[in-house]
Amino acid sequence: MAGCTSSFLSSTSCPPLCFRFNPLIFSARRRSTPSLSRSRRFFFISAEAENRVIFTSPEFAKSFDFSNEERIYKWWESQGYFKPNIVKGIDPFVVPMPPPNVTGSLHMGHAMFVTLEDIMIRYNRMKGRPTLWLPGTDHAGIATQLVVERMLAAEGVKKADLGRDEFTKRVWEWKQKYGGTITNQIKRLGASCDWTRERFTLDGQLSRAVVEAFIRLHEKGLIYQGSYMVNWSPNLQTAVSDLEVEYSEEPGTLYYIKYRVAGGSKSDFLTIATTRPETLFGDTAIAVNPQDERYAKYVGKQTIVPLTFGRHVPIISDKSVDKDFGTGVLKISPGHDHNDYLLARKLGLPILNVMNKDGTLNEVAGLYAGLDRFEARKKLWSDLEETGLAVKKESHVSRVPRSQRGGEIIEPLVSKQWFVAMEPLAERALEAVSKGELTIMPERFEKIYKHWLSNIKDWCISRQLWWGHRIPVWYVSGKDTADEYIVARSHREALTKAQEKYGKNVEIYQDPDVLDTWFSSSLWPFSTLGWPDQSAEDFKRFYPTSVLETGHDILFFWVARMVMMGIEFTGTVPFSTVYLHGLIRDSQGRKMSKTLGNALDPTDTIAEYGTDALRFTLALGTAGQDLNLSTERLTSNKAFTNKLWNAGKFILRNLPRQDDTPTWEALRAHKFDKMEFVLKLPLPECWVVSKLHILIDEVTASYDKFFFGDVGREIYDFFWSDFADWYIEASKARLYHSGDHSAASVSQAALLYIFENILKLLHPIMPFVTEEIWQALPSRGEALIVSAWPPTSLPRNIDSIKKFENLQAFTRAIRNVRAEYAVEPAKLISASIVANTDVIQYISGEREVLALLSRLDLGNVNFVESPPGDADQSVHIVAGEGLEAYLPLSDMVDISAEVQRLSKRLVKMQAEYDGLVARLNSSSFVDKAPEDIVRGVREKVAEAEEKLTLTKNRLNFIKSKVWIAN
């Protein structure tokens, strides 16, 4: 755009007072207009004293200061804006926050869910709905206990030395000291949660809900105790959930071992291939595929398990055996492999456990008892070699299960645990989706959800930890724990039940295990609102909730379980919509990790780019899709923040003095929500207001559909292109050059109206900079966070949009010619504009705008119905809709000098082109040079040829003008 104003809006490098000294902006007429005088001196000074301390006007500051974000946030919170404003008759909008681990530290995954959920909350708050975003943290049983154990170890203290009660006390002390870290970091992201309702999964109310849920499920026969295979963490000494096991492809070894056939000759043996030879002590069968002819003769016989002093196991056939893996012979160790366990249960095979809870081998392993599993593996192989039973070993890549917390290899182990029978619960959760009671976004995840629930397994809910919800089960001393146990809500209730059955002298003790953290999390949407007290005010008012937003990777482990538990305990699906976001990856699409060194810390990112730039970048993603995050994107969106700030600066500096009452009354008289008023607007104002009203409809629809990426792109395009690049520049024709107070008033009113609405539309995504600017506006009223959302279906004039787009195309064509002929930006040129009567009418009506945007000499802009007499010496432009222009060549260049310059340039270009062609014509170069070098030369030849043609055409064109002139 023309003049200093363009650089002012697109960069922060222009001095803050550049508007005062630019003669292109401040003409004599501009300075003499009282209503626009700079003597008004910052109306913001008259704002409330409180806001003056908190907020900074764009008039004062060169750019938005990110350090103000925390002050703005505290002000919002202090004003109570995060609490739901209860309005009778209007359904509330409620989002339960996925509770981050109390041990957590902010990462980009947190930044993603906070951004998306805050967008939902802020949008619905502005729409006038009572909004509740319920925050909280998870006690994170394994993670928290591990952290505290490590802290104690640094002090030389062991957990066992303290005892359970003292250790739990230490954990609570740690939580009080460090547990608020993640909460404060989430606030830094702008999360407008109702912090007065913050919950913790070990709060008294939530703990009561957990006990109640356990008892009700047990009473229905859905909770039971039994010995089944689980994921066992030897270091943590507890069962862990599938979510807490991470699989990785790791190099290992495949061991080939001879199993002799009982009663056979020395040549009668089967060779098995295994990655875990130490588990052979738990073998209960050897299996082959029934179609594998190599081993058909051995099926039904017995084989001797090596190094077990002659223990026999049967040789069986089963179609599940892979003939092509290893030797096609499978050792079945049901106590130490998930697949073997399932096969053993199907076939009725016994289950042998050869491992202690700490990962050492037990007495079943005989001489190897007490050895660590990996030490036993080495010794076992050595002994097999000595006895001639070792065939060979070879490198092999295995899929290894590791603990997400401790990193050690997880051991499949049969253990006595508490389980929830899931099939009855899953049926109703499946129906919720089928009946349309629950919508999952993106839709493709519905198939995954249904597949998992249709093939669900029972859930192991017990953990061998000290930190967490203690299982509400008590045992009678001296009785068999398998049959004699009591489920109760408290120790007193359990003792009363025991005394009624066994007498007053009975002694009881509580089950030492705690519940899986996911058990309490599955109750989160309703336990946080007061359940099991369904008469609680919050439960009656805010349940069921509206949207559950989280990562797609915990669709099964958390979301599906919440759906099942919500239906089971409340009879209602706990939320109507599930919105799943993807993972945050680096610019190359790699998962962020400390190992790769590519992880971006949100706190550091905020300090460098601002919270708004980070939020805007994250919001541009698509539901369920992974997002590649790069510093280039952040830099670009930081520039967007600056562009907003500079637009605010321009508007504030071109509004009337606050004490100029008549001018403000005239400005406020403009009613852009009335069709009759919109139709009377000048073309640029009618165009931009119409485009804004269309934008409001589109953005509102996108917000309603949770298409936040579309929201960001729609607002960005309108603001940057239509508003900043075109309308702000067009408005200068009335503000600085017209001398017409009424025309200036229309532009001022339009600028303020459009900018206010842009701030509203953008606020849910970029809350801080929009609120900061909003507080500087003279007619802002209340805080932006609680301002009313713009109404939809506002008037628009499609004809004016088409007309202004024609003017835009015309302006671009003139600019392109100026650029082609390298016309200096400050130089004004003449133009003869040819069009039909209708087009001339609306184009000539905006001649000042056209002249300003195209850098035309306003005194030499002529509107005619036929080409001018000097058309042969002009550059001819056709812009469409019968709109043409003739730009005198002599206005733009010195023709003779340009001919000389182009002639010299052409000689040089021809020489370069000939040199490149000569290289390609040389067989020695083409045959001997690397392929990529030859390809590069060919590309340069094509590029040089194109430039030669363009330069020749331009030279011929200019020479023709010289001949015509002569």
Side-chain angles (χ1 to χ4, degrees):
M1 297 298 168
C4 179
T5 52
S6 174
S7 62
F8 177 77
L9 279 172
S10 59
S11 171
T12 58
S13 60
C14 184
L17 299 180
C18 69
F19 271 73
R20 296 189 190 181
F21 307 110
N22 191 329
L24 296 175
I25 299 175
F26 288 87
S27 63
R29 284 182 294 171
R30 164 72 174 89
R31 288 191 296 272
S32 65
T33 304
S35 64
L36 299 177
S37 173
R38 281 290 293 143
S39 62
R40 68 186 183 88
R41 298 300 297 172
F42 311 134
F43 65 81
F44 184 75
I45 293 176
S46 64
E48 297 93 330
E50 177 190 13
N51 289 8
R52 209 184 313 144
V53 174
I54 297 166
F55 299 99
T56 303
S57 169
E59 287 191 294
F60 292 147
K62 181 180 178 181
S63 61
F64 178 53
D65 187 352
F66 306 145
S67 66
N68 290 349
E69 293 174 351
E70 293 186 74
R71 290 203 300 273
I72 295 171
Y73 187 89
K74 290 177 181 177
W75 180 74
W76 283 329
E77 191 174 8
S78 69
Q79 299 301 306
Y81 293 141
F82 298 164
K83 298 178 182 179
N85 183 25
I86 307 303
V87 180
K88 289 186 178 180
I90 300 179
D91 291 337
F93 182 82
V94 185
V95 176
M97 175 188 285
N101 288 350
V102 71
T103 59
S105 181
L106 197 68
H107 56 66
M108 281 299 174
H110 296 125
M112 174 65 91
F113 90 68
V114 169
T115 295
L116 296 176
E117 292 172 29
D118 197 42
I119 289 172
M120 298 176 192
I121 286 292
R122 288 178 183 269
Y123 168 67
N124 281 279
R125 183 185 289 124
M126 294 176 74
K127 291 278 284 187
R129 294 181 67 178
T131 55
L132 172 60
W133 187 10
L134 201 94
T137 49
D138 192 291
H139 65 277
I142 293 176
T144 306
Q145 180 159 320
L146 193 59
V147 167
V148 176
E149 282 185 18
R150 288 172 178 169
M151 180 187 73
L152 292 173
E155 300 172 4
V157 178
K158 293 182 179 180
K159 178 185 72 171
D161 297 336
L162 293 177
R164 183 168 195 145
D165 292 342
E166 181 61 27
F167 176 78
T168 304
K169 179 183 175 183
R170 292 287 190 98
V171 181
W172 275 108
E173 290 173 355
W174 180 93
K175 190 266 179 185
Q176 291 300 116
K177 187 173 182 180
Y178 300 105
T181 299
I182 188 67
T183 297
N184 293 329
Q185 291 173 331
I186 285 174
K187 289 182 177 182
R188 190 66 185 84
L189 287 163
S192 56
C193 314
D194 183 358
W195 294 106
T196 64
R197 286 179 165 89
E198 183 179 6
R199 301 290 185 259
F200 178 55
T201 48
L202 283 179
D203 285 346
Q205 157 59 29
L206 275 68
S207 296
R208 285 191 294 274
V210 167
V211 171
E212 187 66 28
F214 185 98
I215 291 174
R216 292 190 187 186
L217 290 174
H218 185 269
E219 288 173 348
K220 292 185 70 172
L222 295 177
I223 282 184
Y224 63 93
Q225 190 179 40
S227 295
Y228 298 93
M229 178 154 286
V230 297
N231 300 308
W232 185 262
S233 171
N235 288 357
L236 298 173
Q237 291 282 288
T238 181
V240 295
S241 73
D242 291 341
L243 181 65
E244 291 156 335
V245 179
E246 295 180 339
Y247 290 87
S248 59
E249 299 291 329
E250 299 181 16
T253 304
L254 193 60
Y255 300 88
Y256 291 79
I257 305 171
K258 288 182 182 180
Y259 278 58
R260 298 193 185 281
V261 177
S265 65
K266 289 185 177 180
S267 61
D268 288 324
F269 61 84
L270 300 176
T271 300
I272 63 95
T274 179
T275 58
R276 305 179 64 208
E278 69 279 6
T279 62
L280 64 79
F281 299 108
D283 291 353
T284 56
I286 296 296
V288 298
N289 191 291
Q291 296 180 353
D292 196 335
E293 296 178 358
R294 295 174 295 174
Y295 309 116
K297 62 181 180 181
Y298 296 123
V299 175
K301 296 184 177 182
Q302 298 273 317
T303 185
I304 304 170
V305 180
L307 305 180
T308 60
F309 302 101
R311 186 166 65 85
H312 290 36
V313 297
I315 302 171
I316 63 175
S317 64
D318 192 89
K319 62 182 181 179
S320 64
V321 178
D322 185 356
K323 294 190 298 180
D324 299 322
F325 176 77
T327 62
V329 183
L330 175 70
K331 61 185 287 295
I332 301 177
S333 309
H336 300 282
D337 182 273
H338 288 283
N339 293 325
D340 291 1
Y341 176 76
L342 295 175
L343 186 60
R345 292 189 67 184
K346 181 181 77 170
L347 300 175
L349 296 172
I351 297 173
L352 277 179
N353 177 23
V354 304
M355 206 164 292
N356 296 313
K357 298 293 179 68
D358 61 358
T360 60
L361 300 194
N362 63 24
E363 66 279 0
V364 175
L367 298 176
Y368 301 88
L371 290 179
D372 176 77
R373 49 186 168 160
F374 301 116
E375 293 177 4
R377 181 181 301 175
K378 293 178 183 179
K379 178 171 174 47
L380 179 69
W381 183 250
S382 176
D383 292 345
L384 287 169
E385 287 179 319
E386 287 185 12
T387 56
L389 297 177
V391 178
K392 65 176 180 177
K393 62 179 180 180
E394 61 186 22
S395 298
H396 177 74
V397 175
S398 301
R399 191 165 178 260
V400 179
R402 289 189 176 274
S403 167
Q404 186 187 64
R405 301 299 176 189
E408 81 275 13
I409 294 177
I410 290 296
E411 189 64 40
L413 203 66
V414 174
S415 175
K416 189 176 183 180
Q417 304 285 344
W418 288 94
F419 295 85
V420 177
M422 301 302 288
E423 279 192 24
L425 301 173
E427 289 176 8
R428 297 170 69 185
L430 282 166
E431 288 178 3
V433 172
S434 301
K435 293 180 178 179
E437 298 171 357
L438 177 65
T439 300
I440 300 176
M441 295 181 61
E443 188 178 355
R444 70 178 186 276
F445 283 103
E446 285 189 6
K447 293 181 180 178
I448 301 172
Y449 172 90
K450 290 177 180 178
H451 175 77
W452 186 73
L453 286 179
S454 300
N455 298 276
I456 198 166
K457 298 176 183 178
D458 287 355
W459 175 16
C460 173
I461 57 171
S462 49
R463 298 291 180 266
Q464 290 63 53
L465 302 170
W466 285 356
W467 173 248
H469 295 101
R470 192 88 172 262
I471 289 179
V473 170
W474 282 261
Y475 302 103
V476 177
S477 298
K479 299 291 183 180
D480 185 354
T481 59
D483 301 316
E484 303 290 338
Y485 65 82
I486 299 164
V487 178
R489 291 172 177 80
S490 65
H491 183 274
R492 177 177 294 180
E493 181 182 324
L495 183 58
T496 300
K497 288 183 177 181
Q499 288 174 340
E500 289 174 357
K501 187 173 182 180
Y502 300 103
K504 291 186 178 182
N505 296 326
V506 67
E507 293 183 2
I508 62 173
Y509 62 95
Q510 190 171 0
D511 193 306
D513 291 353
V514 299
L515 287 163
D516 180 10
T517 300
W518 293 103
F519 188 86
S520 56
S521 297
S522 68
L523 313 177
W524 185 254
F526 47 95
S527 65
T528 51
L529 295 172
W531 187 90
D533 179 9
Q534 295 190 219
S535 65
E537 283 301 314
D538 274 3
F539 184 85
K540 291 191 297 182
R541 184 174 290 148
F542 298 118
Y543 187 82
T545 65
S546 309
V547 178
L548 189 285
E549 191 284 331
T550 190
H552 65 69
D553 53 329
I554 55 174
L555 173 61
F556 315 133
F557 303 107
W558 189 43
V559 179
R561 287 168 176 166
M562 281 189 288
V563 175
M564 289 185 278
M565 294 300 185
I567 296 173
E568 172 66 23
F569 294 121
T570 70
T572 308
V573 179
F575 28 75
S576 56
T577 301
V578 173
Y579 181 104
L580 302 172
H581 66 251
L583 301 177
I584 308 293
R585 299 184 179 275
D586 69 6
S587 58
Q588 300 177 42
R590 299 174 302 174
K591 188 175 181 179
M592 290 189 177
S593 70
K594 294 180 180 179
T595 304
L596 292 175
N598 62 347
L600 293 176
D601 185 305
T603 306
D604 295 339
T605 303
I606 288 171
E608 184 172 356
Y609 301 98
T611 303
D612 291 322
L614 174 59
R615 287 172 58 119
F616 190 81
T617 304
L618 296 176
L620 291 179
T622 303
Q625 299 290 337
D626 292 352
L627 175 70
N628 292 356
L629 184 62
S630 66
T631 54
E632 289 77 16
R633 285 189 178 190
L634 292 165
T635 300
S636 173
N637 294 328
K638 179 181 178 180
F640 181 40
T641 306
N642 289 335
K643 188 86 170 180
L644 280 169
W645 189 259
N646 289 330
K649 191 189 299 285
F650 171 83
I651 292 167
L652 288 169
R653 289 183 171 182
N654 286 283
L655 290 176
R657 297 191 311 269
Q658 191 178 19
D659 59 359
D660 189 348
T661 304
T663 304
W664 272 106
E665 288 178 352
L667 191 150
R668 293 192 176 101
H670 299 293
K671 304 297 181 184
F672 297 101
D673 58 346
K674 307 294 183 184
M675 188 63 175
E676 59 271 22
F677 181 84
V678 172
L679 292 174
K680 294 177 183 178
L681 289 171
L683 180 60
E685 282 71 24
C686 190
W687 164 76
V688 75
V689 168
S690 296
K691 292 275 283 187
L692 171 70
H693 292 170
I694 292 172
L695 175 73
I696 291 172
D697 289 357
E698 292 173 343
V699 166
T700 302
S702 294
Y703 270 123
D704 287 336
K705 297 174 184 176
F706 306 105
F707 293 172
F708 305 130
D710 290 348
V711 169
R713 285 182 285 272
E714 288 160 357
I715 300 174
Y716 183 96
D717 291 343
F718 173 81
F719 170 77
W720 201 287
S721 179
D722 294 341
F723 185 64
D725 285 357
W726 283 98
Y727 182 66
I728 282 183
E729 297 302 315
S731 71
K732 296 169 187 174
R734 305 194 208 290
L735 295 175
Y736 306 151
H737 302 295
S738 68
D740 184 342
H741 289 205
S742 62
S745 177
V746 171
S747 290
Q748 290 171 319
L751 285 167
L752 189 57
Y753 172 75
I754 295 162
F755 195 54
E756 283 180 344
N757 280 286
I758 288 172
L759 295 179
K760 287 185 176 184
L761 296 177
L762 196 54
H763 177 75
I765 299 178
M766 304 178 75
F768 290 108
V769 68
T770 53
E771 184 73 77
E772 184 90 300
I773 297 172
W774 178 267
Q775 292 296 329
L777 299 179
S779 56
R780 57 182 165 76
E782 56 195 333
L784 180 57
I785 188 176
V786 290
S787 64
W789 188 257
T792 55
S793 302
L794 291 168
R796 72 284 311 266
N797 186 342
I798 304 303
D799 185 54
S800 292
I801 292 176
K802 293 179 179 178
K803 288 178 179 179
F804 193 81
E805 286 175 349
N806 204 28
L807 187 147
Q808 285 178 302
F810 192 43
T811 301
R812 290 190 189 99
I814 296 173
R815 289 174 176 173
N816 289 340
V817 170
R818 292 179 63 97
E820 184 180 350
Y821 287 91
V823 180
E824 294 179 1
K827 186 173 184 179
L828 305 180
I829 62 175
S830 306
S832 293
I833 300 173
V834 182
N836 59 46
T837 304
D838 291 339
V839 176
I840 285 180
Q841 183 176 2
Y842 70 77
I843 293 292
S844 63
E846 296 299 334
R847 67 174 65 212
E848 290 86 359
V849 172
L850 176 63
L852 180 64
L853 298 180
S854 306
R855 306 299 296 137
L856 300 179
D857 182 357
L858 188 58
N860 287 299
V861 176
N862 302 304
F863 294 87
V864 294
E865 295 184 357
S866 59
D870 61 350
D872 290 338
Q873 299 179 42
S874 303
V875 177
H876 182 209
I877 296 172
V878 178
E881 201 182 319
L883 182 58
E884 306 174 44
Y886 292 86
L887 307 179
L889 193 61
S890 59
D891 272 15
M892 296 186 285
V893 295
D894 182 330
I895 295 177
S896 298
E898 184 70 0
V899 168
Q900 292 179 8
R901 187 183 71 82
L902 289 178
S903 297
K904 290 180 180 179
R905 183 181 176 188
L906 196 59
V907 170
K908 183 178 179 181
M909 291 173 66
Q910 186 68 51
E912 292 175 354
Y913 173 77
D914 292 343
L916 292 170
V917 172
R919 292 183 72 187
L920 288 181
N921 290 336
S922 170
S923 59
S924 61
F925 170 73
V926 175
D927 295 339
K928 296 179 181 179
E931 184 180 344
D932 58 329
I933 299 295
V934 176
R935 184 170 57 252
V937 173
R938 286 199 176 98
E939 291 173 356
K940 288 180 180 179
V941 167
E943 184 180 350
E945 188 173 9
E946 183 181 359
K947 289 181 179 179
L948 263 175
T949 301
L950 291 173
T951 305
K952 285 178 180 178
N953 291 341
R954 185 172 178 185
L955 180 60
N956 291 334
F957 173 76
I958 294 179
K959 283 182 176 180
S960 70
K961 302 307 177 186
V962 175
W963 181 82
I964 291 170
N966 291 336

